């Protein structure tokens, strides 16, 4: 909660407002992802039963949702693109970003 955010006219640095914005925006997704990760870890340490197999399968499927964290980067990338004035530099940045997304998707798909 030590990183501010932009409003229409200023930068908001109040920790209470930052926390409120986080709770209303990304907290649900982050909580769900961490919860599923913990379920997966616990299912690996507990004796395998049919219920645990179901939880384990569900956890593997939901772990793909970690890719949604990439959406957070969209605002940062768009802000950086607005600052770049050269079309050549924009093209290079676009290609690098697309390659990074491909690498991240492959990594999360292969490694879980």
């Amino acid at each position: 909660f030590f990183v501010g955010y932009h409003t229409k006219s200023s930068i908001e640095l109040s920790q209470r407002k930052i926390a409120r914005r986080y709770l209303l925006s990304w907290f649900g997704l982050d909580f769900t992802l961490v919860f599923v990760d913990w379920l997966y870890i616990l299912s690996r340490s507990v004796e395998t039963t049919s219920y645990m197999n179901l939880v384990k399968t569900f956890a593997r499927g939901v772990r793909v949702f970690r890719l949604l964290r990439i959406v957070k980067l969209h605002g940062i990338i768009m802000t950086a693109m607005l600052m770049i004035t050269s079309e050549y530099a924009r093209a290079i940045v676009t290609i690098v970003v697309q390659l990074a997304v491909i690498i991240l998707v492959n990594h999360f798909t292969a490694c879980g």
Side-chain angles (χ1 to χ4, degrees), residues 48-65:
T48 306
T49 62
S50 62
Y51 175 72
M52 281 298 147
N53 282 336
L54 178 65
V55 170
K56 192 174 179 181
T57 303
F58 177 75
R60 284 182 184 162
V62 175
R63 289 180 78 170
V64 174
F65 283 113

Side-chain angles (χ1 to χ4, degrees), residues 33 36-37 40 59-67 69 104-112:
L33 293 174
V36 169
D37 280 342
Y40 182 72
R60 284 182 184 162
V62 175
R63 289 180 78 170
V64 174
F65 283 113
R66 277 203 260 167
L67 294 174
R69 291 180 180 177
L104 283 172
V105 168
N106 285 332
H107 170 71
F108 282 125
T109 304
C111 298

Side-chain angles (χ1 to χ4, degrees), residues 5-41:
Y5 63 91
H6 293 278
T7 61
K8 292 180 182 177
S9 61
S10 64
I11 298 175
E12 187 60 57
L13 297 174
S14 167
Q15 289 183 354
R16 176 173 278 164
K17 289 183 181 181
I18 293 169
R20 184 172 191 270
R21 181 176 180 186
Y22 173 68
L23 288 172
L24 295 174
S25 60
W26 288 101
F27 176 75
L29 177 64
D30 288 343
F31 179 80
T32 303
L33 293 174
V34 170
F35 181 73
V36 169
D37 280 342
W38 277 101
L39 278 179
Y40 182 72
I41 290 168

